[in-house]
């Protein structure tokens, strides 16, 4: 019996491996972009249209956005196109900011939506986001819609503002993972100065959260008067009745003790128009370090805040 030479099997294996590799589709990549805000918008549009892709930011560049992209879903204004596919944004000491010039409209940077929206941020700084055009918009830098995915690695989110989730708001069924990042000087009006998670899954690893605040202002507690009215204590007279001394051969005339009634009546205690006001309170998590996978309820029913 003769066997084929060993190298023939090696050739077949190599051919099979080559065919297997050829069957794996190559991921779509957007071209590297210049340091220009319009180029960034165009690159994200291209990645969405390609079914997903990677956007590499210019090193040491500040992408200063000053316009709102067309709204989608009614969740407030965005400075960049809504992420509808799997998109990765890679930075190299790169910053995406909302411009500080007078007249710049309000907007967040990223909204993750569509049927398959998934965003990964690597080494990117997001600063000065504020979508509160009406005052009720969530996610100062990023809004993760229901059942969508966000991953943030080695990034900085700073100076962002929203109604809930000063930096990030994650809605029900979403998945958010944050690793090696920093949240600083973010603020929210209602909840989650840094992060607000409503019913989604969230993991926070080796991330620093500092100087984030949630402010509840000018919210008086309703007046609750307590009144005790017109409740007299029943009259209780104390009377010593006439008590004559027993007759003896020497008679002592009747000497009744003087009547001494004691009466407490018509007493009233009233407490009214009392109010308690809680105003201008700020809760701050400072110099904290979160290294956990958070589940359950923190701060409100079905909500997690940081």
């Amino acid at each position: 019996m003769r066997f084929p030479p060993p190298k023939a099997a090696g050739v077949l294996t190599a051919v099979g491996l080559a065919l297997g590799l050829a069957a794996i589709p190559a991921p779509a990549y957007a071209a590297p972009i210049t340091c220009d805000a319009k180029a960034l918008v165009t690159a994200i549009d291209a990645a969405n249209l390609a079914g997903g892709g990677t956007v590499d930011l210019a090193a040491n560049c500040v992408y200063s956005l000053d316009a709102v992209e067309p709204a989608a879903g009614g969740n407030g204004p965005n400075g960049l196109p809504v992420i509808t596919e799997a998109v990765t944004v890679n930075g190299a000491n790169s910053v995406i900011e909302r411009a500080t010039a007078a007249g710049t409209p309000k907007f967040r940077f990223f909204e993750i939506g569509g049927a398959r929206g998934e965003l990964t941020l690597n080494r990117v700084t997001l600063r000065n986001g504020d979508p509160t055009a009406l005052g009720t918009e969530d996610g100062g830098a990023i809004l993760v819609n229901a059942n969508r995915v966000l991953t943030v690695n080695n990034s900085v989110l700073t100076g962002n503002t929203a109604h809930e989730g000063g930096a990030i708001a994650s809605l029900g069924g979403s998945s958010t993972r944050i690793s090696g990042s920093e949240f600083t000087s973010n603020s929210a009006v209602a909840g989650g100065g840094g992060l607000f998670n409503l019913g989604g899954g969230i993991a926070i690893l080796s991330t620093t959260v500092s100087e984030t605040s949630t402010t509840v202002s000018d919210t008086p507690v309703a007046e609750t008067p307590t009144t005790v009215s017109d409740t007299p204590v029943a009259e209780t007279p104390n009377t010593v009745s006439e008590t004559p001394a027993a007759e003896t051969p020497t008679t002592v005339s009747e000497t009744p003790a003087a009547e001494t009634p004691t009466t407490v009546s018509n007493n009233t205690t009233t407490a009214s128009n009392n109010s308690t006001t809680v105003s201008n309170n700020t809760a701050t998590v400072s110099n904290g370090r979160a290294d956990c996978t958070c589940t359950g309820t923190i701060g409100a029913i079905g909500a997690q805040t940081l």
Side-chain angles (χ1 to χ4, degrees):
M1 180 179 294
R2 303 181 63 184
F3 296 93
K7 70 174 183 177
V11 170
L12 291 174
T13 301
V15 171
L17 179 60
L19 291 174
L21 290 174
I24 300 174
Y29 289 96
I33 61 173
T34 59
C35 186
D36 177 76
K38 292 182 179 179
L40 175 57
V41 170
T42 300
I44 292 176
D45 270 333
N48 280 330
L49 289 173
T54 297
V55 175
D56 292 322
L57 304 180
N60 304 307
C61 172
V62 176
Y63 293 87
S64 189
L65 308 179
D66 59 6
V68 174
E69 286 297 297
N75 296 316
N78 304 301
L80 294 169
V82 174
I83 303 297
T84 58
E85 302 291 341
V87 176
T88 297
V89 178
N90 293 323
N93 195 29
S94 311
V95 177
I96 302 174
E97 70 171 11
R98 177 175 155 269
T100 57
T104 300
K106 291 187 173 185
F107 53 80
R108 71 174 67 85
F109 304 107
F110 293 103
E111 178 180 346
I112 307 173
R116 297 180 298 275
E118 181 175 341
L119 174 64
T120 299
L121 289 179
N122 297 316
R123 294 181 171 82
V124 179
T125 293
L126 302 180
R127 71 185 180 203
N128 198 35
D130 181 358
T132 57
L134 300 177
T136 58
E137 292 83 359
D138 299 333
I142 305 172
L143 174 64
V144 190
N145 281 308
N147 304 314
R148 303 282 67 84
V149 178
L150 170 66
T151 302
V152 178
N153 297 316
N154 304 305
S155 295
V156 177
L157 286 82
T158 182
N160 303 291
T161 302
H163 179 253
E164 291 180 319
I168 297 174
S170 300
L171 304 184
S174 63
S175 175
T176 298
R177 186 181 189 277
I178 302 166
S179 177
S181 297
E182 180 180 349
F183 288 60
T184 180
S185 299
N186 302 291
S187 62
V189 174
L195 173 66
F196 182 82
N197 180 49
L198 184 61
I202 186 165
I204 303 173
L205 306 171
S206 301
T207 292
T208 299
V209 180
S210 63
E211 298 179 8
T212 61
S213 66
T214 301
T215 301
V216 180
S217 61
D218 298 327
T219 308
V221 178
E223 293 185 1
T224 309
T226 303
T227 303
V228 181
S229 61
D230 297 330
T231 309
V233 178
E235 294 183 3
T236 310
N238 247 346
T239 303
V240 181
S241 61
E242 297 178 359
T243 308
E247 292 183 4
T248 61
T250 301
T251 301
V252 179
S253 61
E254 294 179 358
T255 308
E259 293 183 2
T260 310
T262 301
T263 303
V264 180
S265 62
N266 298 321
N267 297 287
T268 303
T269 302
T270 303
S272 62
N273 298 320
N274 296 292
S275 65
T276 302
T277 302
V278 181
S279 63
N280 301 320
N281 295 291
T282 300
T284 301
V285 180
S286 64
N287 300 319
R289 187 171 185 85
D291 191 359
C292 65
T293 298
C294 302
T295 59
T297 298
I298 303 176
I301 296 176
Q304 297 166 334
T305 62
L306 185 62

